[in-house]
Amino acid sequence: MKRLAVYCGSATPADPRYMALARDVGMELAERGIGVVYGGGRLGLMGAVASGALEAGGEVIGVIPEALAGSEVANRDCTELHTVSGMHERKLRFTELSDGFVTIPGGVGTMDELWEAVSWAQLGYHAKPVGLLNAFGFYDHLLAFNAHMAAVGFVRPAHQGILIAAETLSELLDAMLHYTPHRPIFEMTAADL
């Protein structure tokens, strides 16, 4: 994995553990020689991931929508900053530029990015690992809900291993390196579905 898209919040939570985690993720990826592809912002966890990676000498590629690029939100310190027309093009660019996805704590936008990466993997638009860093138990309920969707039958058995979760970045990256792509929906017949 040469580059990973990192999905995270643009907010700065009151609990300082989240900002420290984001900075540490950026630093550890850079120290492992893994470039960061992210939302291009300088605020919140997004900015902390970028700062951590840049401070460790890593590559940081930001992808930001035009509506945000002209404001003070854009991180001009990135190795590269791509301005795109909107959110759909942004997520497509994340997929094109990265070898996988890592989601750390975030809000609605982060969930949108995570689930689109999972959905595109199910369909067959990509065969890249989708990681979820469940630091501090932040995603416990989401993982339980994902298991519930599978138990009810809304996530096919062939796709239940797409979302890879771990409590530390080291464990997560190791699991992502050993990810075996599944059989996508585009290759299934109606009988399989």
Side-chain angles (χ1 to χ4, degrees):
M1 295 183 296
K2 293 182 180 179
R3 290 182 184 150
L4 289 174
V6 179
Y7 297 147
C8 60
S10 60
T12 302
D15 185 337
R17 295 181 303 169
Y18 293 102
M19 291 293 282
L21 171 73
R23 180 177 232 84
D24 289 348
V25 165
M27 292 183 92
E28 186 170 342
L29 290 174
E31 288 165 357
R32 289 173 176 250
I34 300 172
V36 170
V37 180
Y38 87 115
R42 64 177 184 79
L43 304 177
L45 272 69
M46 265 196 218
V49 166
S51 294
L54 290 168
E55 286 172 21
E59 174 190 50
V60 176
I61 300 173
V63 184
I64 193 164
E66 287 174 4
L68 297 173
S71 69
E72 294 180 16
V73 172
N75 186 350
R76 306 283 177 204
D77 294 330
C78 293
T79 310
E80 296 176 27
L81 184 62
H82 299 254
T83 301
V84 295
S85 62
M87 298 302 285
H88 294 295
E89 186 180 348
R90 182 192 217 184
K91 290 181 284 186
L92 176 60
R93 191 70 61 90
F94 287 148
T95 303
E96 292 170 344
L97 292 171
S98 69
D99 300 310
F101 312 87
V102 171
T103 299
I104 67 174
V108 173
T110 304
M111 292 300 91
D112 175 53
E113 292 163 342
L114 169 66
W115 290 118
E116 185 156 300
V118 171
S119 176
W120 284 16
Q122 283 184 159
L123 291 168
Y125 285 112
H126 72 77
K128 302 173 183 183
V130 180
L132 182 71
L133 183 57
N134 189 26
F136 323 122
F138 184 80
Y139 286 118
D140 284 351
H141 295 293
L142 182 122
L143 290 168
F145 180 66
N146 191 55
H148 175 67
M149 288 190 296
V152 170
F154 287 112
V155 179
R156 292 170 182 85
H159 302 139
Q160 290 175 11
I162 291 174
L163 185 60
I164 303 165
E167 294 180 4
T168 69
L169 184 61
S170 182
E171 292 171 319
L172 184 61
L173 293 176
D174 185 55
M176 290 173 69
L177 280 171
H178 294 95
Y179 172 69
T180 301
H182 57 281
R183 186 172 177 214
I185 289 173
F186 291 157
E187 293 178 7
M188 294 180 173
T189 65
D192 298 322
L193 301 173

